C-alpha cells in the first residue's frame, strides 16, 4: 500500500492518491471547467445510458422467471424454474460487474460460486439457499426504476445544457427553415416571445454553460448510487470477504512463524551451537594437557573463556530477537530507545502513549521499528533519523523518518514488502513516502487492542 503520506502528519487519516497509487496529476484548469470534457464524465454518462435498456431486460426476465417459478410451486417444476431464474440473475450480475469495472472503474470481486454436493437437486438447493442469489434478484428488481430516473435526469441535463450553450451556433436554423426568429418561449393568439435578440441569445448560452458545467457533477452523484448498488448487491457478502481475508492473513502468519523458526534454528546451529561444540573440544584438549603442559592448558582455558562470552552474547542477541525483556518489563519507550542506540545514525525517539497496547501489538510495533531502523542503517545513507509513536483513537501509529537518499518502496520483494504483509495480517497498513533524493517517511498503523 505504498502511497504518499505527509511526513509530519499525526492525524488518523489514510492518504489519498490518484489511480495506481500515484499522486493526482496537476492541471492548469480547475476541476469545474475540466469535468465536462474528462473521460470519466463520458464513461459515466455512457454507463447511465446503457443502464436503461439493460435494466429493462433484466427486470423483465427476473420478474417473469420468479413469477413463473412461484406460480408453479404447487407442482414440482416450480422449484427448478425458480432456481434457474436466480442462476440467470447471477449471470446478469457478472455482466453488470464487468460494466461497472470498465466504465466506472469499480473493481468488485466476484462472489463465491454455488457449489452443490452432487446432482441437480443439490445444486438447486444450493442456489435457493444462497443469499448472493437473492441479492442479485433484488438488484434486478430495484435497478430498473432507478436506471429510468437516472437516465432521464442525465439525458435531460446533458441535452438541454449543450443545446442551450451552443444556441448561437445553430440559431440560424429557425429563420432559415422554420420561419421564426428563434426558440419560442411563449405564444398565443395575440403575441409571441422568441429568443432572438443578442442579449437573449447570450443569456441562453450562459445558462447552457452553467448546465454544461454542473451536469458532470449530477452524473457523478447518480452513478454513486449505482456504485453502492453494485457493491452492496452484486459483490460478495462482508462475511465472506472477511473470511477470505482471515484465511489469507492466517497463511501469512503461518509462513512468518515458520520463517522465524527457521531463522532461530539457523542462528543456533551456525552461531551459538558451533561455538559451544568448539568450546567443548578446546576444554577437552586443555584437560589432556593439564598435567603435561599447564601453561598451554591455561592458554586454552583462557581462549575457551572468551568463546563462552561470545556464545553468551549471541544467545542474548537471539533471545532479544525473539522477544526482548526490556519490552516486556518497561514498554515501547525503553525498548525503542534501546534499538535507536544501536543504530548507525543518531535517532530521536518520541513515544506519546498514556497506556500500553496488547502485548502482541506491542511486539509487532517493536519489530517494525527495528526493521525500519535496520534499513536506515544499511541502505539510507542518512545522517539522522527519528521515531514517533502515538495513539490515534483505536489505532497505534508509528512513523520513522530519515534524511537519506530516498527511493524506498514495497515493490520487488523488498523487506518493506514482507513488513507490509506482516502488518496486513493484523489489520495494519504500511505507508511509504520516499521520493528520490529523500527524505523518507514510513508510517505504520496497527490496531490498538489494549
Amino acid at each position: 500500500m505504498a502511497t504518499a503520506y505527509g511526513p509530519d502528519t499525526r492525524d488518523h487519516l489514510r492518504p489519498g492518491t490518484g489511480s495506481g497509487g500515484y499522486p493526482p496529476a496537476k492541471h492548469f484548469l480547475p476541476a469545474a471547467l475540466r469535468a465536462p470534457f474528462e473521460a470519466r464524465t463520458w464513461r459515466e454518462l455512457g454507463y447511465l445510458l446503457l443502464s436503461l435498456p439493460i435494466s429493462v431486460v433484466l427486470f423483465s426476465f427476473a420478474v417473469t422467471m420468479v413469477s413463473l417459478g412461484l406460480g408453479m410451486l404447487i407442482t414440482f417444476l416450480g422449484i427448478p424454474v425458480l432456481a434457474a431464474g436466480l442462476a440467470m440473475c447471477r449471470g446478469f450480475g457478472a455482466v453488470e460487474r464487468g460494466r461497472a469495472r470498465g466504465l466506472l472503474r469499480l473493481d468488485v470481486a466476484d462472489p463465491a460460486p454455488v457449489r452443490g454436493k452432487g446432482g441437480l437437486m443439490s445444486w438447486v438447493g444450493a442456489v435457493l439457499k444462497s443469499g448472493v442469489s437473492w441479492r442479485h434478484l433484488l438488484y434486478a428488481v430495484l435497478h430498473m426504476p432507478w436506471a429510468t430516473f437516472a437516465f432521464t435526469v442525465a439525458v435531460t441535463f446533458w441535452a438541454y445544457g449543450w443545446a442551450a450553450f451552443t444556441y448561437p451556433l445553430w440559431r440560424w436554423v429557425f429563420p432559415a427553415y422554420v420561419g421564426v426568429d428563434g426558440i419560442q418561449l411563449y405564444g398565443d393568439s395575440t403575441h409571441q416571445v422568441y429568443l432572438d435578440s443578442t442579449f437573449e441569445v447570450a443569456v441562453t448560452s450562459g445558462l447552457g454553460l452553467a448546465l454544461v458545467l454542473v451536469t458532470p457533477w449530477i452524473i457523478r452523484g447518480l452513478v454513486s448510487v449505482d456504485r453502492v448498488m453494485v457493491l452492496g448487491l452484486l459483490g460478495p457478502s462482508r462475511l465472506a470477504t472477511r473470511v477470505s481475508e482471515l484465511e489469507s492473513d492466517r497463511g501469512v502468519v503461518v509462513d512468518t512463524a515458520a520463517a522465524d523458526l527457521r531463522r532461530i534454528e539457523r542462528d543456533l546451529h551456525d552461531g551459538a551451537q558451533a561455538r559451544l561444540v568448539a568450546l567443548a573440544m578446546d576444554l577437552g584438549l586443555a584437560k589432556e594437557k593439564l598435567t603435561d603442559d599447564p601453561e598451554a592448558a591455561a592458554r586454552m582455558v583462557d581462549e575457551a573463556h572468551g568463546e563462552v562470552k561470545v556464545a553468551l552474547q549471541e544467545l542474548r542477541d537471539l533471545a532479544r530477537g525473539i522477544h526482548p525483556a526490556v519490552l516486556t518489563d518497561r514498554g515501547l519507550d525503553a525498548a525503542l530507545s534501546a534499538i535507536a542506540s544501536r543504530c548507525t545514525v543518531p535517532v530521536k525517539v518520541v513515544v506519546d502513549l498514556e497506556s500500553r497496547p496488547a502485548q502482541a501489538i506491542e511486539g509487532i510495533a517493536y519489530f517494525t521499528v527495528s526493521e525500519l531502523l535496520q534499513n536506515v542503517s544499511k541502505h539510507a545513507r542518512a545522517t539522522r533519523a527519528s521515531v514517533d509513536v502515538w495513539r490515534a483513537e483505536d489505532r497505534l501509529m508509528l512513523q520513522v523518518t530519515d534524511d537519506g537518499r530516498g527511493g524506498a518502496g514495497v515493490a520487488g520483494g523488498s523487506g518493506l514488502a514482507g513488513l507490509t504483509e506482516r502488518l496486513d495480517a493484523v489489520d495494519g497498513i504500511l505507508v511509504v513516502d520516499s521520493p528520490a533524493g529523500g527524505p523518507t517517511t514510513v508510517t505504520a498503523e496497527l490496531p490498538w487492542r489494549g
Side-chain angles (χ1 to χ4, degrees):
M1 299 182 181
T3 183
Y5 200 95
D8 298 320
T9 301
R10 287 200 170 200
D11 297 328
H12 179 213
L13 297 174
R14 303 203 176 181
T17 61
S19 60
Y22 296 100
K26 295 181 179 179
H27 298 279
F28 296 103
L29 294 176
L33 297 179
R34 296 195 317 267
F37 308 100
E38 288 181 334
R40 172 183 175 180
T41 299
W42 294 96
R43 288 198 313 268
E44 292 177 344
L45 177 61
Y47 183 90
L48 295 178
L49 296 181
L50 289 174
S51 290
L52 180 60
I54 292 176
S55 65
V56 169
V57 173
L58 180 55
F59 178 86
S60 302
F61 174 84
V63 171
T64 300
M65 292 297 292
V66 172
S67 300
L68 182 62
L70 293 177
M72 296 177 66
L73 280 180
I74 194 172
T75 67
F76 176 76
L77 294 177
I79 296 177
V81 169
L82 182 59
L86 293 176
M88 288 298 296
C89 287
R90 291 176 67 110
F92 277 112
V95 174
E96 288 294 272
R97 287 191 297 272
R99 192 164 66 94
R101 191 175 297 115
L103 295 178
L104 301 184
R105 300 296 190 262
L106 179 65
D107 193 7
V108 183
D110 295 333
V114 175
R115 293 187 177 90
K117 295 182 179 180
L120 176 61
M121 294 312 299
S122 175
W123 176 83
V124 168
V127 171
L128 293 177
K129 290 186 292 185
S130 171
V132 174
S133 302
W134 292 101
R135 284 194 284 112
H136 279 66
L137 174 63
L138 183 62
Y139 175 87
V141 174
L142 295 180
H143 190 243
M144 198 274 286
W146 169 252
T148 303
F149 171 79
F151 177 92
T152 304
V153 172
V155 170
T156 299
F157 274 86
W158 181 84
Y160 274 86
W162 281 103
F165 178 50
T166 59
Y167 179 53
L169 301 179
W170 55 273
R171 187 177 69 88
W172 60 270
V173 171
F174 288 94
Y177 295 102
V178 185
V180 296
D181 295 330
I183 297 177
Q184 185 179 23
L185 290 183
Y186 175 79
D188 55 22
S189 59
T190 59
H191 61 281
Q192 295 83 29
V193 178
Y194 296 97
L195 299 177
D196 53 357
S197 69
T198 303
F199 173 76
E200 292 171 342
V201 171
V203 171
T204 301
S205 183
L207 292 175
L209 176 61
L211 287 177
V212 167
L213 295 179
V214 78
T215 297
W217 308 102
I218 294 176
I219 291 175
R220 293 182 186 185
L222 294 173
V223 297
S224 65
V225 178
D226 286 274
R227 290 174 183 270
V228 172
M229 294 180 69
V230 172
L231 280 172
L233 297 177
L234 300 184
S237 65
R238 292 184 178 180
L239 179 60
T241 302
R242 185 57 180 164
V243 169
S244 177
E245 291 176 352
L246 290 176
E247 289 177 348
S248 176
D249 294 344
R250 181 183 61 184
V252 172
V253 171
V254 171
D255 293 341
T256 301
D260 289 339
L261 285 176
R262 289 193 298 268
R263 176 182 60 82
I264 294 171
E265 292 172 355
R266 183 180 64 251
D267 292 343
L268 284 173
H269 182 271
D270 298 340
Q273 180 179 343
R275 291 187 181 278
L276 291 175
V277 170
L279 174 62
M281 295 175 62
D282 292 342
L283 289 176
L285 293 174
K287 180 179 179 181
E288 293 177 358
K289 294 186 177 184
L290 185 60
T291 56
D292 299 336
D293 191 354
E295 293 182 1
R299 286 195 303 269
M300 296 181 70
V301 170
D302 186 62
E303 292 175 358
H305 183 255
E307 289 291 324
V308 169
K309 291 182 178 180
V310 175
L312 287 175
Q313 183 59 43
E314 289 183 353
L315 289 173
R316 291 192 189 98
D317 293 339
L318 182 60
R320 187 184 296 114
I322 298 173
H323 195 85
V326 66
L327 178 63
T328 303
D329 297 338
R330 301 174 59 188
L332 277 174
D333 196 352
L336 296 184
S337 297
I339 296 176
S341 66
R342 298 193 297 270
C343 190
T344 57
V345 300
V347 180
K348 178 183 178 182
V349 178
V350 178
V351 178
D352 184 14
L353 297 177
E354 297 181 357
S355 58
R356 297 177 62 173
Q359 289 186 358
I361 299 301
E362 200 172 50
I364 294 173
Y366 172 85
F367 289 111
T368 298
V369 174
S370 177
E371 180 78 16
L372 293 176
L373 289 182
Q374 287 182 23
N375 288 343
V376 172
S377 298
K378 294 178 181 179
H379 310 295
R381 299 179 186 173
T383 60
R384 64 180 182 275
S386 64
V387 176
D388 293 292
V389 182
W390 71 97
R391 179 177 180 176
E393 298 179 358
D394 60 344
R395 310 291 286 183
L396 176 63
M397 309 296 294
L398 315 170
Q399 191 172 84
V400 177
T401 306
D402 68 77
D403 62 350
R405 60 179 179 172
V410 298
S414 65
L416 291 179
L419 201 56
T420 301
E421 292 180 353
R422 291 194 178 196
L423 294 182
D424 187 60
V426 292
D427 292 333
I429 63 171
L430 185 75
V431 182
V432 180
D433 177 26
S434 183
T440 296
T441 301
V442 181
T443 305
E445 179 180 333
L446 292 166
W448 179 261
R449 296 178 188 173

